[in-house]
Amino acid sequence: MRRDVCVIGAGVAGLAAAKFLSPHFNVTVFERSHTVGGVWFYNKGNSNATHVTPMYKNLKTNLPNHLMSFSDHSYPDGSPSFLTHQQTLDYLEGYCDKFGLRDLIKFGTTVTMVTPTENGEWSVSTDDGRVKKYCGVAVCSGNFNSPNHPENLVNYRGYLSHSISYDDPGEFDSFNTIMIIGAGNSAVDILTALWRPHKQLYLVHRKDHDLVGLPDILDPWSHIPVQGL
């Protein structure tokens, strides 16, 4: 007898989990948006979006496509090494349809609570008021949904924006002095996009040294202050 398993999220991890589990279990995937792809679904400016994803207009992947593909599903021939968010989303849509995963997904449904039961199962509640028990739950909702603002900026009165809401450098055109907190991929991407000869940009991070993996194109801009917190 096949048992019931729940997968939360239809992004990269959720789709892979559904494909792996579906030959052995009755799989139900809960996805709060109305499409697959998770964070790769660009929805800035979409008034009907249930949430905002971290994708921005000109984003491209920072890994070549052969390192981002599943072993049983390749990117189309002729694809560029570094892909746009739309090309990545199209790839995940293709993966979903190739393995018949779409019929397993309940779109527009948010999991509100997961609790263990006395008999070793899991009780899963959704925002449509339904509650069902599953023998297993795969949590594939990711960790890029909730912006993390530094607590010491709570009294800051200037313009404050998190990278999750960033979309286009034009929103910063009126600011001549800009501080970017963090030295991860998003920070370097946004730094590159915001640079103008007349602007003062500060990249502030918590590492204990001043070396940050800036792309080669930033070498002529070595005057940009890089400071550690």
Side-chain angles (χ1 to χ4, degrees):
M1 178 179 175
R2 287 162 61 100
R3 304 179 69 186
D4 296 330
V5 168
C6 163
V7 176
I8 303 175
V12 176
L15 293 176
K19 175 184 173 292
F20 176 78
L21 293 169
S22 58
H24 313 287
F25 299 92
N26 298 318
V27 176
T28 300
V29 182
F30 292 111
E31 170 54 49
R32 63 177 175 174
S33 70
H34 296 280
T35 187
V36 301
V39 297
W40 292 103
F41 175 49
Y42 172 74
N43 62 359
K44 298 285 173 47
N46 183 349
S47 59
N48 296 321
T50 57
H51 63 290
V52 176
T53 68
M55 291 297 101
Y56 40 91
K57 188 180 299 182
N58 296 320
L59 181 142
K60 288 191 175 182
T61 59
N62 58 358
L63 290 174
N65 68 58
H66 67 275
L67 294 181
M68 294 184 60
S69 61
F70 295 109
S71 60
D72 49 6
H73 184 59
S74 301
Y75 279 91
D77 292 341
S79 296
S81 292
F82 299 96
L83 305 152
T84 66
H85 53 72
Q86 185 60 53
Q87 289 170 319
T88 306
L89 180 62
D90 290 344
Y91 169 80
L92 294 174
E93 293 268 10
Y95 180 84
C96 178
D97 293 333
K98 177 179 179 179
F99 295 105
L101 304 178
R102 201 173 296 272
D103 291 340
L104 307 178
I105 305 172
K106 293 186 178 298
F107 291 105
T109 306
T110 300
V111 173
T112 57
M113 184 175 294
V114 178
T115 55
T117 66
E118 293 182 355
N119 62 354
E121 293 185 319
W122 298 90
S123 176
V124 177
S125 303
T126 53
D127 61 353
D128 56 6
R130 298 185 180 184
V131 180
K132 183 175 178 178
K133 293 180 180 179
Y134 297 88
C135 71
V137 176
V139 180
C140 304
S141 51
N143 60 346
F144 296 108
N145 296 312
S146 301
N148 182 21
H149 293 283
E151 295 180 0
N152 58 350
L153 293 181
V154 67
N155 295 320
Y156 177 66
R157 293 293 177 262
Y159 180 76
L160 181 63
S161 177
H162 192 277
S163 61
I164 196 172
S165 60
Y166 170 80
D167 189 33
D168 186 274
E171 65 187 272
F172 292 89
D173 281 351
S174 61
F175 305 112
N176 291 322
T177 304
I178 302 170
M179 180 173 72
I180 297 173
I181 300 177
N185 295 324
S186 296
V188 174
D189 265 2
I190 295 173
L191 172 70
T192 306
L194 295 185
W195 183 84
R196 301 290 186 277
H198 63 279
K199 291 184 181 292
Q200 288 184 315
L201 298 182
Y202 295 86
L203 181 65
V204 182
H205 61 89
R206 62 184 177 183
K207 297 179 181 179
D208 58 358
H209 53 78
D210 292 341
L211 298 178
V212 178
L214 300 177
D216 293 340
I217 194 173
L218 291 180
D219 283 348
W221 309 342
S222 58
H223 60 282
I224 297 177
V226 179
Q227 302 177 7
L229 274 180

